Amino acid sequence: MMKKIPGYIGVCLLLLAILAGCSETQPSEQPIVKETETANTITVAVDGSTFLPDATKSIKRDFSEGLTLKKALLNSGLVDFTADGKRIQSVGEVSLDSSLSWAVKLNGKDIEQQDWDMELHAKDEVIIYVKAADSGGDGVAYQTTLLKVSGGNIMPTLNRQYAGVYVQECTVRDVLKSSGIVRMSENNKFVVSVENVTPRMNERWVIMVNDKELMENGLDMKLNPRDAVKLELTNAS
């Protein structure tokens, strides 16, 4: 009887092995994940070109039926229109003086102001770019000067930039006066107000060029292309 036990145990082990093999879980097939469909979008881009190369950027926005060009520009978060809604006033924090203007291309074709309400299609590409106000200047590599306005710690919400075509031999005073947002004293030696903001008794507008503060006679300084003039509201020392 004892001699038959090893054979009995072997049969049991064999049965257990067969059962384990039958019950072994087979690896499941992994589902194929398709890439998210990106066709249902439009592109809104800013092309600073030679005027404002640092302003160049591109964003994508969801497309929906009935989306107009103007609505797409507003939805981009980049564009502000004038009060009458007919012209682009600024892109990002950059406005232009009278020598420049914002223009728009749709799929490579220039768009006129009367076409702001035209409907877009999926995959359309909207380009916002800068051009000289003189339409005869196409193809000319213009250079610019930049006027920055900062409210500093006193008015942190005041943060604007104004670009204009560089004029040879122009001075800091020329840029301030041509901007349309700076009011000078009668003798043109001091800044009275910027963006209709007049400093209080303990405040002043500091003038800088390329982040270096100007001395008292600095308004006569001649500028080079791409120089940045900055006005910052600070506490008077």
Side-chain angles (χ1 to χ4, degrees):
M1 184 70 179
M2 294 300 293
K3 293 180 180 180
K4 295 182 180 180
I5 291 177
Y8 174 75
I9 293 174
V11 172
C12 291
L13 291 175
L14 179 61
L15 289 173
L16 288 173
I18 294 173
L19 291 173
C22 293
S23 62
E24 183 179 355
T25 303
Q26 298 298 317
S28 59
E29 293 184 1
Q30 296 296 322
I32 299 175
V33 180
K34 295 183 178 180
E35 293 184 3
T36 304
E37 180 61 49
T38 60
N40 203 35
T41 61
I42 62 168
T43 300
V44 179
V46 180
D47 181 8
S49 188
T50 59
F51 290 104
L52 297 166
D54 295 339
T56 299
K57 63 180 65 177
S58 179
I59 61 175
K60 287 189 177 294
R61 287 290 184 264
D62 291 336
F63 168 77
S64 58
E65 292 294 334
L67 180 68
T68 64
L69 174 59
K70 186 173 184 178
K71 189 67 174 178
L73 292 171
L74 290 171
N75 288 349
S76 72
L78 299 172
V79 178
D80 287 324
F81 281 85
T82 54
D84 59 12
K86 294 181 179 180
R87 295 182 299 106
I88 294 177
Q89 178 171 289
S90 62
V91 176
E93 297 174 345
V94 181
S95 299
L96 306 174
D97 70 13
S98 58
S99 64
L100 299 172
S101 64
W102 293 109
V104 174
K105 289 181 182 287
L106 175 60
N107 300 325
K109 295 183 179 179
D110 281 298
I111 299 299
E112 301 297 331
Q113 294 176 2
Q114 62 266 27
D115 296 326
W116 289 134
D117 293 325
M118 67 186 302
E119 293 190 5
L120 299 181
H121 302 88
K123 296 185 179 181
D124 275 350
E125 183 179 51
V126 180
I127 303 292
I128 310 163
Y129 68 101
V130 182
K131 69 176 183 179
D134 177 9
S135 59
D138 292 341
V140 179
Y142 287 98
Q143 295 174 307
T144 58
T145 54
L146 194 63
L147 174 61
K148 300 179 180 180
V149 177
S150 171
N153 295 328
I154 299 172
M155 297 185 65
T157 57
L158 179 57
N159 190 19
R160 304 291 299 174
Q161 298 183 38
Y162 298 84
V165 171
Y166 171 75
V167 178
Q168 193 171 7
E169 300 291 314
C170 70
T171 65
V172 174
R173 182 183 287 103
D174 294 332
V175 170
L176 296 181
K177 292 182 67 176
S178 65
S179 69
I181 57 131
V182 178
R183 184 162 67 90
M184 306 288 294
S185 60
E186 290 186 6
N187 60 7
N188 289 320
K189 290 186 177 181
F190 304 100
V191 173
V192 175
S193 66
V194 181
E195 290 272 21
N196 295 319
V197 176
T198 303
R200 299 175 182 177
M201 291 295 295
N202 62 336
E203 299 170 352
R204 68 188 181 105
W205 284 106
V206 172
I207 306 173
M208 292 174 274
V209 174
N210 301 329
D211 295 324
K212 293 183 179 180
E213 185 174 348
L214 294 183
M215 303 300 289
E216 187 174 345
N217 60 349
L219 293 178
D220 294 318
M221 174 183 175
K222 293 181 180 179
L223 298 173
N224 296 311
R226 300 290 304 279
D227 276 348
V229 179
K230 183 176 182 179
L231 290 162
E232 183 171 356
L233 187 62
T234 65
N235 292 309
S237 55

